Amino acid sequence: MGGAGAEAWQSPDPSVLLVEDDAGDALLVEELVADSTLKMRLRWVRSMAEAREVLAAEVPDCVLLDLNLPDARGLEAVSMIQSVNEQVAVVVLTGLAGEETGLAAVAAGAQDYLVKGRVEPELFGRAVRYAIQRKQAEQAAVALQASQMQAQENARLERGLLPRPLLRDADVDIVTRYRPGRAQALLGGDFYDIVQSGDGSVHALIGDVSGHGPDEAALGVALRIAWRTLVLSGITGAEQLVRLEEILVAERARTHVFATLTVLTAHPGTPHVRVVRAGHPGMLLRTADGGVRWVEIDGGPALGVVPGGAHWPERDMAVPAGAALVLFTDGLFEGYIGEGRERLGEDGLLRLAREVAGYEPAPFVDGLIERAEALAESRGGLDDDVAVLHLRWN
């Protein structure tokens, strides 16, 4: 029975692994299978050790499990099957005096129990079929709950990473966008913020924590909140980055995690902004006459690369009347396009920006992202998260 079952293991009929050390009881199960209206493939092993070997290589639809094996007894046998493969349905086999144990096994995670010698073929087939269906329903419920929890976690992270601008009376138009990468179930570590301080200055931040996952997203939230606190406390410029690096080094889960960011400060009545850049990409400058150019400002290394040893220069950049600055994370231009290994790159992004140069702020940002996504469509979309911040002073 073991050899024939192994050869038929790929058949479309339900597969059943019988774990039973008694040859007579195994023969009874084989007869039940033969007489049952539910066609199934049966494979017989005599011990838990053999069952482990099979389950490590195959995933049957159901395990018929004797609770008195030479190397596993009682509820221990159920837990051992579940520890090897928790996706398989389990129906335990008990003796006449073992009904209480069978009920306990169901409470411990088995889908059903059968009493040896008291099972008709029709009941046997129904029990196996229902056990498989119950296990599938249980897995669907678990997947749904995980999906709901993931959606809730996304919402919490999004509130922390992507806040509402804190502005009083600044005469500036703001457009913000965030798009998750195609492979990310959770938000990544991209973040931004905009705050107006008591003297009327407008402060803007965009940043990106290396890597993906809940740890990186949580670190992005911590840096974003810390930055807003520093601004409201009157700490600006390169001093902000010193404090933020201290937080990153203290909070990061792994020593190789770093963060890039750009900070802008626009004082009221002045035709320029002060820029501090830590390993972050450049930005786009949109002029009132429809021009777009790439701007690179001197900066220092990303936060966390050389803890305590970095220097971040502060630079003033002229902003013509009616101009706009567009800040973004590298996911917007570092994705692969076409079928080869070519990336969009900075030149490619600038070309796309010039295609939508005459658009108003929101259509400009949306058009830029949509064009980048379209170029990466053949590869399934943009790999990395994308955050964009568009600021236009009136």
Side-chain angles (χ1 to χ4, degrees):
M1 177 165 51
E7 293 172 0
W9 204 248
Q10 300 304 318
S11 164
D13 297 325
S15 55
V16 177
L17 177 65
L18 172 63
V19 188
E20 170 65 73
D21 65 320
D22 187 282
D25 287 340
L27 180 61
L28 290 176
V29 171
E30 185 179 30
E31 292 174 351
L32 288 172
V33 170
D35 296 337
S36 172
T37 57
L38 175 65
K39 299 305 178 183
M40 63 186 80
R41 295 162 288 136
L42 187 66
R43 186 171 184 175
W44 173 35
V45 296
R46 298 171 180 267
S47 66
M48 182 59 66
E50 291 182 57
R52 283 176 174 273
E53 291 181 5
V54 173
L55 291 173
E58 308 282 353
V59 182
D61 296 303
C62 183
V63 171
L64 293 175
L65 178 64
D66 179 33
L67 295 183
N68 290 290
L69 297 169
D71 53 352
R73 290 184 174 274
L75 299 184
E76 176 193 17
V78 177
S79 63
M80 291 176 73
I81 292 292
Q82 292 174 329
S83 68
V84 177
N85 193 320
E86 60 181 10
Q87 298 181 349
V88 66
V90 177
V91 176
V92 300
L93 303 174
T94 69
L96 291 175
E99 287 199 53
E100 290 187 4
T101 303
L103 291 171
V106 171
Q111 276 60 58
D112 205 346
Y113 74 95
L114 297 173
V115 178
K116 297 178 182 179
R118 296 179 60 182
V119 182
E120 299 297 325
E122 183 178 352
L123 175 61
F124 173 78
R126 187 185 304 123
V128 171
R129 181 171 64 250
Y130 287 174
I132 295 172
Q133 292 174 349
R134 280 195 291 272
K135 188 62 178 180
Q136 291 172 343
E138 174 189 315
Q139 291 174 326
V142 170
L144 177 60
Q145 183 180 21
S147 176
Q148 292 171 339
M149 292 179 63
Q150 190 175 88
Q152 295 171 356
E153 182 67 11
N154 272 343
R156 284 192 294 268
L157 289 170
E158 184 172 359
R159 287 195 296 270
L161 290 165
L162 317 173
R164 293 182 179 179
L166 182 59
L167 298 173
R168 298 176 178 87
D169 55 6
D171 194 12
V172 57
D173 292 329
I174 299 169
V175 175
T176 60
R177 294 289 187 270
Y178 175 86
R179 298 285 179 89
R182 62 184 171 95
Q184 303 310 313
L186 291 172
L187 294 176
D190 294 18
F191 57 95
Y192 59 75
D193 203 353
I194 305 164
V195 177
Q196 187 177 17
S197 55
D199 64 358
S201 299
V202 174
H203 307 262
L205 163 77
I206 193 162
D208 183 5
V209 177
S210 63
H212 298 282
D215 289 340
E216 288 75 16
L219 182 55
V221 172
L223 294 175
R224 202 278 305 166
I225 293 175
W227 178 83
R228 178 174 283 202
T229 303
L230 291 169
V231 170
L232 296 177
S233 300
I235 298 174
T236 61
E239 181 62 21
Q240 289 179 347
L241 275 62
V242 174
R243 305 290 180 86
L244 293 176
E245 185 176 64
E246 292 175 353
I247 293 171
L248 179 142
V249 171
E251 297 292 336
R252 62 187 176 184
R254 296 172 298 279
T255 56
H256 65 270
V257 173
F258 62 89
T260 69
L261 56 84
T262 294
V263 176
L264 301 181
T265 302
H267 299 289
T270 59
H272 62 264
V273 296
R274 176 150 291 189
V275 181
V276 186
R277 192 161 68 103
H280 204 74
M283 65 189 83
L284 296 174
L285 175 64
R286 301 182 64 199
T287 55
D289 60 2
V292 182
R293 69 174 187 267
W294 186 280
V295 179
E296 290 278 356
I297 303 297
D298 292 343
L303 305 186
V305 174
V306 283
H311 170 68
W312 297 283
E314 301 180 33
R315 296 287 185 262
D316 288 337
M317 184 180 75
V319 180
L325 292 175
V326 186
L327 290 75
F328 40 82
T329 52
D330 58 13
L332 186 59
F333 64 89
E334 286 199 341
Y336 291 107
I337 59 176
E339 299 298 333
R341 300 293 292 175
E342 179 188 0
R343 296 182 184 270
L344 176 60
E346 299 172 358
D347 292 339
L349 182 62
L350 180 58
R351 184 181 65 255
L352 297 183
R354 287 173 173 165
E355 292 177 4
V356 292
Y359 292 12
E360 288 298 306
F364 173 88
V365 174
D366 292 335
L368 191 60
I369 296 174
E370 289 167 4
R371 280 166 169 75
E373 288 179 330
L375 289 174
E377 184 176 0
S378 64
R379 306 182 71 94
L382 297 173
D383 289 317
D384 205 353
D385 306 313
V386 174
V388 181
L389 183 58
H390 185 289
L391 304 170
R392 185 177 68 180
W393 283 267
N394 299 318

